[in-house]
Amino acid sequence: MLQLKNIKKDYVVAGLPIPALSGITLEFQKNEFVSILGASGSGKTTLLNIIGGLDRYTSGDLLVEGKSTKEFSNNDWDAYRNATIGFVFQTYNLISHLSVLDNVEMALRLSGVSSKERKERATKVLVEVGLADHIHKKPNQLSGGQMQRVAIARALVNNPKILLADEPSGALDSKTSIQILKLIKDISKDRLVIMVTHNTELAQNFSDRIVQLVDGRVVEDSRPVHIKKENLNQSKLLNKKTSMSYMTALKTSFKNLLTKKGRTLITAVAGSIGIIGIALVLSISSGMTNYVDDMQSDTLAGFPLTISSVVSTDAFADPAQRMGDLTSIDGSFTDEPIIYSYDEENNTTLHTNIVTDDFLDYLNQMDSELYNSISYTRAISLNIVAETSAGGYTKVVSSQSNNPFTSAGTVLNEIPNSPEFIQSQYDILDGVYPTAYNELVLIVDSQNQIDVSVLESLGISIEEDYTFSDFIGKTFKVIPNDLYYTSSGSTYIPETNYDMLYNSTEAITISIVGILRVSEDASTELLSSGIGYTTFLTDYMIDINLTSDIVVAQEASKTLNVLTGQPFNTQLTYDIVMRTIGGDSAPTGVQIYPVSFDSKDLIKDYLDAYNVGLDEVDSIIYTDLAETISSTISTLISTITIILAAFAGISLVVSSIMIGIITYVSVIERTKEIGIMRSLGARKKDISRIFNAETVLIGFTSGVLGVLIAMVLNIPLNMIINGLIGVTGFSTLTLTSSLSLIVLSTILTLVAGLIPSGIAARKDPVVALRTE
Ligand code: ADP
Ligand code: MG
């Protein structure tokens, strides 16, 4: 059954090996009751711990059913302790926070027995040792003899082949001692029992064999046995690995935490402070975001998605690459007397949107429920003449921009064909909104101002102020191509006799019918101040100019610019000139006015889908005006959130460290329990699992507590905010945030507890058992 071959054990004390066992050779049989007698300090406990696999021998060999243990791994030893060995100690070594039943079940939990079977088997042994009435008590509610019976039941519950008892009656009175020894004697009928004692009388009365130890040596053996060759089914004995489930670890830790409710609660509350902080920050920031969203959704929802002919795609460029570009230019000034040429187009990331018929078809197929209107811009310039206050005539510069929202610097601009949207952003100060080709509108800024340069180009003499009626009804003349350009050889020359042009019957009269000002609750000034004309005027003029002489001439000459007589170049292409003189009715820009924020997202998806599979040059890149406006505010909010969260995060770190310290204290307190668990076959992993489970439970409680407290704090906070800005339910913690915070708290405390739980796992079981 068991063979000890020249087992030696040295303890290293202050760097020097002190022998505790000096060459023990012994053999044990099945069904023997062996007593080991010896004075205190003779090495009895050391010998027993080595037999039980709790301690390692320094040299020699221990054979179990003929198998050497020299090559045993830690797992083999754990399995051996759990399945083959049952330990009974002088001081019972019960886990005080577990019930009698749970104490006995513990060995079975480690070997992964199902909960039903565990309960049955544990109850059965407890009945056998005479504790039927006490199974639900805690160890401290039992007498010494009863506690030792629990310990014996625990040692037997796995039905081990070997029971090791270290002075089992040492702490009991003589009457109880005899009862316990009778029980052990019974047990030895079907297993090997090795009992350490210094009570010679008890040893002689109960055991079959007495081995006498003096100073770590066997001096007498009353009935030595010699096993020839044992050939039992050894694999069956040793191959069963122990494993504690996470559930067991959690349950054990939970019960332990329940025994110190007060401390657990205080720890959890302290741990929750950081969580409360972050939860409040998140509540307020989500409140701010919602508030701003609500404020803006009314106005911003109508903002168009704009497709202009040229967009800067800097935002889309890979930042790393741009960093690379920057560093490649070393930024230093050159001393060389040389001037370099460079192509700006290669140094800026501009994308040209080419609005093709395909794309226009694609737009036409879009669900019309999604948008209020689509407005197209054509890049034609109008030839407009105004009568000056001084009685003369002047030509007014009109915009050729294809983006009605960025056409600063010109006096006459096309306004997009979306009256509802424009009127949602602008108030009509006087007159009406222009709805026909011959109607214009004056756009003033929020202070009712117009730039003097605009007034000058309109030929209006500069005065301090004007009345609305100075502008309403003011007329201009649009000059058709055939009137404006006169042919001169191969080129066409613009007419400069503005008096003649203005007073010609072919000139088209247009007049200002209203004055627009940006409304007070508009988010931004979309239209540049000056005079706006409708897209109907553009359509009207294209219609006339399409068949004009200059357009026909230009169509016939694809290589020469009829305005200059020069060949086309990269700056001035055929297409551009054609558009300028109104010979091309194809749109160069599009504005889509969505119905709502949600439909805007759908429109974006629809537009994105167009680019799938297209080359970079053919793709259409849109600008979301509202997003540009609202992203500034969002950036501000998230910056504030991050700063606040950083402060709250610091308190979270502090509380995590504190939980680490508390776990360490718990490890120190539970050292004995660690020893007991190890003696029952718990692996190092199982021990760390128990403490990790404890931190997980604390972290989880902290998280839940933190979230709940934050929710309660939100109530007065919302009352204050309601008083200040009149918004109810401003600060609210979302479900996602709540769950994330609980997870965060759990993970943080788990991490904080890893070091102490590692310390617990590495504790030497023998040392752990010796601590009180
Ligand atoms: P017994 O159980 O017979 O009283 P032990 O086996 O506990 O004796 O101890 C045997 C010897 O080994 C003693 O001299 C004791 O001081 C020493 N010893 C036991 N454990 C340790 C230890 N962890 N470190 C150093 N010396 C030890
Ligand atoms: Mg001892």
Side-chain angles (χ1 to χ4, degrees):
M1 181 82 207
L2 260 187
Q3 283 170 276
L4 282 72
K5 287 187 176 167
N6 199 22
I7 292 273
K8 290 187 180 164
K9 173 70 181 177
D10 296 334
Y11 285 111
V12 179
V13 179
L16 291 172
I18 310 285
L21 298 176
S22 7
I24 304 266
T25 302
L26 275 175
E27 289 180 24
F28 299 100
Q29 274 182 311
K30 282 197 284 181
N31 310 344
E32 254 192 312
F33 187 173
V34 185
S35 285
I36 295 180
L37 273 176
S40 184
S42 58
K44 305 182 298 290
T45 299
T46 306
L47 179 62
L48 211 62
N49 285 344
I50 283 174
I51 293 174
L54 215 50
D55 210 349
R56 303 283 177 273
Y57 45 84
T58 313
S59 67
D61 195 5
L62 169 71
L63 284 80
V64 185
E65 304 216 342
K67 189 180 187 212
S68 167
T69 56
K70 268 186 184 159
E71 306 293 323
F72 261 31
S73 68
N74 282 337
N75 278 348
D76 292 332
W77 282 116
D78 295 336
Y80 168 70
R81 277 202 305 280
N82 187 245
T84 312
I85 301 291
F87 268 108
V88 175
F89 305 91
Q90 179 178 0
T91 51
Y92 330 121
N93 285 349
L94 300 176
I95 301 174
S96 57
H97 58 83
L98 296 182
S99 72
V100 166
L101 186 66
D102 282 335
N103 263 286
V104 178
E105 277 189 35
M106 185 52 78
L108 293 172
R109 285 179 197 277
L110 291 170
S111 47
V113 176
S114 77
S115 100
K116 190 167 165 268
E117 189 185 341
R118 256 190 342 242
K119 197 165 177 177
E120 276 170 17
R121 276 168 63 179
T123 313
K124 188 164 162 269
V125 267
L126 281 167
V127 171
E128 276 167 17
V129 297
L131 290 174
D133 300 334
H134 307 283
I135 58 174
H136 294 299
K137 285 187 180 171
K138 286 280 171 67
N140 61 7
Q141 294 166 317
L142 300 176
S143 70
Q146 284 169 331
M147 281 198 270
Q148 197 56 295
R149 279 167 197 271
V150 177
I152 291 169
R154 181 179 62 188
L156 292 181
V157 74
N158 253 335
N159 201 19
K161 295 228 158 74
I162 303 163
L163 181 79
L164 302 176
D166 193 352
E167 312 213 17
S169 61
L172 304 172
D173 59 71
S174 54
K175 199 174 148 228
T176 324
S177 293
I178 289 165
Q179 287 170 352
I180 291 294
L181 277 168
K182 276 183 180 159
L183 182 64
I184 294 175
K185 175 86 185 166
D186 264 1
I187 292 161
S188 73
K189 289 203 180 88
D190 37 37
R191 73 200 80 220
L192 167 63
V193 173
I194 304 174
M195 179 181 77
V196 161
T197 180
H198 51 241
N199 187 325
T200 321
E201 196 193 330
L202 282 179
Q204 280 167 348
N205 285 350
F206 289 95
S207 53
D208 310 324
R209 174 182 168 193
I210 295 173
V211 174
Q212 195 97 39
L213 278 193
V214 171
D215 289 342
R217 265 174 233 283
V218 178
V219 291
E220 204 196 309
D221 189 344
S222 68
R223 207 181 78 184
V225 285
H226 293 288
I227 306 161
K228 289 276 169 316
K229 184 99 183 146
E230 220 167 1
N231 232 342
L232 286 163
N233 191 353
Q234 23 174 280
S235 57
K236 197 180 164 193
L237 179 77
L238 294 167
N239 67 356
K240 205 171 162 221
K241 294 271 178 283
T242 59
S243 111
M244 182 196 262
S245 71
Y246 285 102
M247 246 353 262
T248 305
L250 270 178
K251 215 172 142 185
T252 313
S253 303
F254 184 65
K255 284 191 179 159
N256 174 53
L257 288 177
L258 281 186
T259 59
K260 35 184 188 187
K261 290 191 195 76
R263 187 165 88 184
T264 308
L265 196 70
I266 292 170
T267 314
V269 168
S272 69
I273 291 172
I275 295 292
I276 296 172
I278 294 189
L280 287 181
V281 170
L282 288 180
S283 307
I284 295 172
S285 97
S286 84
M288 282 199 281
T289 313
N290 288 340
Y291 179 62
V292 171
D293 280 357
D294 278 356
M295 289 238 301
Q296 293 188 333
S297 64
D298 309 327
T299 45
L300 285 187
F303 272 59
L305 291 170
T306 320
I307 295 158
S308 356
S309 76
V310 176
V311 280
S312 164
T313 53
D314 272 344
F316 302 96
D318 176 16
Q321 202 184 317
R322 279 159 60 208
M323 288 302 283
D325 287 345
L326 281 177
T327 47
S328 69
I329 306 163
D330 59 8
S332 61
F333 290 84
T334 180
D335 294 330
E336 292 169 66
I338 302 172
I339 293 168
Y340 302 94
S341 70
Y342 84 109
D343 188 351
E344 194 181 343
E345 267 180 46
N346 284 343
N347 290 296
T348 45
T349 34
L350 287 180
H351 174 83
T352 308
N353 281 320
I354 300 163
V355 181
T356 59
D357 288 345
D358 272 356
F359 181 68
L360 293 174
D361 283 347
Y362 186 77
L363 273 187
N364 276 335
Q365 285 159 26
M366 184 163 69
D367 184 359
S368 60
E369 302 274 294
L370 295 179
Y371 56 88
N372 284 325
S373 62
I374 298 182
S375 172
Y376 299 94
T377 17
R378 268 71 48 91
I380 74 157
S381 53
L382 299 175
N383 304 309
I384 293 174
V385 179
E387 192 177 6
T388 64
S389 314
Y393 299 94
T394 180
K395 185 175 182 239
V396 183
V397 184
S398 92
S399 156
Q400 201 197 312
S401 162
N402 48 54
N403 185 347
F405 302 118
T406 56
S407 52
T410 48
V411 176
L412 270 155
N413 303 299
E414 185 183 69
I415 54 175
N417 183 18
S418 185
E420 303 86 12
F421 172 66
I422 303 281
Q423 287 177 72
S424 75
Q425 302 290 311
Y426 282 82
D427 296 329
I428 302 170
L429 292 186
D430 195 24
V432 293
Y433 192 85
T435 51
Y437 79 91
N438 58 359
E439 294 181 340
L440 301 174
V441 72
L442 179 75
I443 300 150
V444 296
D445 74 6
S446 53
Q447 265 81 49
N448 284 16
Q449 299 180 122
I450 303 176
D451 195 307
V452 285
S453 70
V454 173
L455 293 168
E456 269 167 3
S457 25
L458 290 174
I460 296 170
S461 61
I462 311 301
E463 281 163 34
E464 189 76 2
D465 47 46
Y466 306 90
T467 59
F468 289 164
S469 59
D470 287 340
F471 289 96
I472 300 282
K474 181 165 174 54
T475 58
F476 300 89
K477 295 287 174 79
V478 190
I479 315 300
N481 279 355
D482 282 344
L483 183 60
Y484 188 65
Y485 295 106
T486 39
S487 158
S488 155
S490 59
T491 59
Y492 281 80
I493 299 165
E495 182 57 61
T496 49
N497 184 352
Y498 299 130
D499 185 354
M500 183 275 281
L501 289 176
Y502 191 89
N503 293 307
S504 164
T505 49
E506 284 166 56
I508 293 137
T509 309
I510 51 175
S511 53
I512 296 176
V513 295
I515 299 172
L516 291 187
R517 183 181 65 190
V518 68
S519 67
E520 276 179 51
D521 51 348
S523 325
T524 179
E525 285 184 48
L526 286 170
L527 306 171
S528 40
S529 59
I531 290 180
Y533 58 87
T534 61
T535 53
F536 307 121
L537 180 63
T538 315
D539 294 339
Y540 189 83
M541 292 314 295
I542 285 174
D543 228 33
I544 294 173
N545 288 338
L546 220 46
T547 52
S548 64
D549 290 349
I550 183 172
V551 169
V552 173
Q554 185 64 79
E555 255 172 1
S557 154
K558 297 272 193 270
T559 49
L560 284 187
N561 183 347
V562 293
L563 286 171
T564 59
Q566 300 294 312
F568 292 115
N569 57 33
T570 48
Q571 258 70 52
L572 213 55
T573 62
Y574 172 81
D575 286 342
I576 292 177
V577 172
M578 249 339 219
R579 273 185 216 135
T580 313
I581 59 179
D584 186 355
S585 63
T588 53
V590 183
Q591 298 88 43
I592 305 163
Y593 295 86
V595 172
S596 65
F597 264 132
D598 293 338
S599 67
K600 182 189 315 197
D601 287 337
L602 293 172
I603 295 172
K604 282 181 174 181
D605 291 344
Y606 187 77
L607 293 178
D608 288 338
Y610 177 77
N611 289 338
V612 173
L614 286 185
D615 282 347
E616 166 97 59
V617 281
D618 295 327
S619 60
I620 297 285
I621 296 175
Y622 55 80
T623 326
D624 185 351
L625 267 168
E627 198 167 78
T628 341
I629 295 164
S630 59
S631 70
T632 324
I633 301 166
S634 320
T635 316
L636 194 71
I637 292 176
S638 51
T639 311
I640 296 171
T641 309
I642 290 168
I643 293 169
L644 291 178
F647 283 114
I650 292 169
S651 59
L652 200 61
V653 169
V654 171
S655 55
S656 298
I657 292 172
M658 192 195 63
I659 284 173
I661 294 168
I662 288 171
T663 311
Y664 181 69
V665 171
S666 178
V667 168
I668 305 280
E669 279 178 354
R670 293 171 76 185
T671 303
K672 182 77 171 232
E673 189 183 330
I674 294 168
I676 298 166
M677 300 285 290
R678 296 300 305 274
S679 76
L680 293 175
R683 297 164 302 170
K684 288 182 175 177
K685 222 189 268 178
D686 300 325
I687 302 298
S688 58
R689 227 173 247 187
I690 288 177
F691 287 96
N692 287 340
E694 188 166 312
T695 48
V696 162
L697 285 173
I698 293 180
F700 180 78
T701 318
S702 303
V704 172
L705 215 60
V707 166
L708 289 179
I709 295 175
M711 281 173 170
V712 172
L713 287 179
N714 270 338
I715 297 172
L717 200 65
N718 277 330
M719 283 153 104
I720 296 170
I721 292 171
N722 193 14
L724 288 177
I725 55 171
V727 178
T728 52
F730 181 90
S731 176
T732 40
L733 194 58
T734 62
L735 185 67
T736 339
S737 307
S738 310
L739 295 180
S740 318
L741 283 175
I742 294 173
V743 171
L744 177 75
S745 165
T746 312
I747 290 174
L748 268 183
T749 48
L750 175 64
V751 171
L754 283 181
I755 294 172
S757 76
I759 292 172
R762 283 193 298 275
K763 276 199 189 296
D764 180 342
V766 178
V767 177
L769 275 174
R770 276 174 199 261
T771 53
E772 278 314 316

